[in-house]
Amino acid sequence: MDFAVNPAEPVFMLSGQGSQAVGMGADLMGLPEVRETFDCASDSFGFDVARAVAEGTQEDLSRTLCAQASIAALSVGIARALMAKGVQPSAVLGFSLGQIGALAVSGMLGLGETFALAARRAELMSEAAASHPGSMCALLGADEETVRQLCEECAEGDVLVIANCNCPGQIVVSGTSDAVGRAREAWGARKKRSAMLATEGGFHSPLMQEASDALSSYLATVPFDEPRIPLICNVDARPLCAADAAEHLARHLVEPVRFDRSVSFLEQAGATDFVETGFGGVLVGLVKRIDKSLARSIVQDRGDFEAACARYGMGATVSDALRESADSEKDCNANI
């Protein structure tokens, strides 16, 4: 393998849709990088994302536009705050929506361009979900071949496909609600457990083809830079380059998220330490199931941020950053 990463540096993982919660990241909002990222997301999505997270309901946050805006803003904001304190990632890996935020962290797109893309993508996905209703379900104790056969048996002419390959024993299917219901019932008949996902549609399936086509047209106008930090793509579990970005990001809406293979690829390249920037710790849990020997942690609040800065030898803490931010604001106020 020609690709290699520095094992002394962590891989940043950006959370996917479904990890949102009211009040998440509240004690990090004073960090300038987090605040700036939320402001940028608000400009692109057309509503106050920070206020939605702080004051909205869980139902509000579960809607596609709000969920994607809030998750991406927090994940990217935390990653940028860590990097501002000198925590350098060896690579970046996003989960589904997280791959869009990873474009900003890797340097392939600027912050404004990233959230403009995220907003357009979320809008197209929401429209496709309304036009072609669907749902998603995680099948536990599953392997790809068994689930592929299950999809063939339960589709009955409807859309039903593998959407996420999360980790050994956890695969998500996506498709029309009837087909997903049949698959869940058949899985239960085998004495296997399952869990419905809190999404508005059948993402990463042919139900998103219209969104994929429209996004492809949008992406044709987007100039991508080569990544300064390697970004591992969900589509093929390989480093993404500027020439392939538009095609891969459009395919991403209708093809499976290969998170398990992405983590394994990075491990083979030398990665030993994975840090989730976001909320909920879902990706940390998946990494544990992929390989328990890998170091894994999450940065989702003040304590986590301070621990990460200390762990990677930066010394500066969130308290220092907040103090610097307050001093800067005093200086600005004094100049008004």
Side-chain angles (χ1 to χ4, degrees), residues 16-20 58-65 67-68 71 95-97 121 125-126 128-130 132-138 163-164 166 172-177 180 195-205 207-208 257:
Q17 188 170 343
S19 61
Q20 65 275 1
Q58 193 61 35
E59 182 180 358
D60 292 335
L61 281 182
S62 295
R63 297 190 179 96
T64 299
L65 286 171
Q68 296 199 9
I71 295 163
F95 185 97
S96 190
L97 166 66
R121 179 179 180 272
M125 291 174 70
S126 184
H132 305 284
S135 57
M136 304 178 75
C137 180
N164 299 355
N166 291 346
V172 174
V173 295
S174 178
T176 65
S177 295
V180 170
M196 296 299 295
L197 272 59
T199 63
E200 284 189 324
F203 302 146
H204 300 290
S205 84
L207 295 176
M208 294 289 113
V257 173

Side-chain angles (χ1 to χ4, degrees), residues 15 17 100 118 138 193 196 210 214 224 240 246 256 262 328:
S15 308
Q17 188 170 343
I100 305 302
R193 294 183 298 130
M196 296 299 295
E210 290 179 4
F224 291 91
L240 186 64
S262 299
S328 176

Side-chain angles (χ1 to χ4, degrees), residues 194-228:
S194 63
M196 296 299 295
L197 272 59
T199 63
E200 284 189 324
F203 302 146
H204 300 290
S205 84
L207 295 176
M208 294 289 113
Q209 189 61 56
E210 290 179 4
S212 178
D213 292 341
L215 186 64
S216 181
S217 297
Y218 175 87
L219 289 167
T221 68
V222 177
F224 291 91
D225 293 326
E226 291 299 338
R228 296 190 296 274

Side-chain angles (χ1 to χ4, degrees), residues 134-249:
S135 57
M136 304 178 75
C137 180
L139 305 180
L140 308 182
D143 63 81
E144 278 195 59
E145 184 55 34
T146 299
V147 175
R148 192 170 288 109
Q149 292 175 3
L150 182 75
C151 288
E152 292 175 359
E153 295 168 3
C154 296
E156 298 182 10
D158 291 335
V159 170
L160 183 64
V161 297
I162 292 175
N164 299 355
C165 298
N166 291 346
C167 63
Q170 187 181 124
I171 293 178
V172 174
V173 295
S174 178
T176 65
S177 295
D178 287 346
V180 170
R182 288 192 294 269
R184 191 182 190 196
E185 183 177 354
W187 197 245
R190 301 183 187 190
K191 308 301 181 184
K192 299 283 191 176
R193 294 183 298 130
S194 63
M196 296 299 295
L197 272 59
T199 63
E200 284 189 324
F203 302 146
H204 300 290
S205 84
L207 295 176
M208 294 289 113
Q209 189 61 56
E210 290 179 4
S212 178
D213 292 341
L215 186 64
S216 181
S217 297
Y218 175 87
L219 289 167
T221 68
V222 177
F224 291 91
D225 293 326
E226 291 299 338
R228 296 190 296 274
I229 299 166
L231 190 165
I232 306 305
C233 182
N234 285 174
V235 173
D236 58 4
R238 291 294 184 272
L240 186 64
C241 65
D244 295 335
E247 178 196 3
H248 280 53
L249 291 170

Side-chain angles (χ1 to χ4, degrees), residues 20-46:
Q20 65 275 1
V22 176
M24 62 183 185
D27 60 355
L28 293 175
M29 291 298 180
L31 288 171
E33 296 80 15
V34 174
R35 185 174 60 251
E36 179 188 20
T37 304
F38 269 87
D39 288 345
C40 189
S42 298
D43 289 342
S44 293
F45 278 84

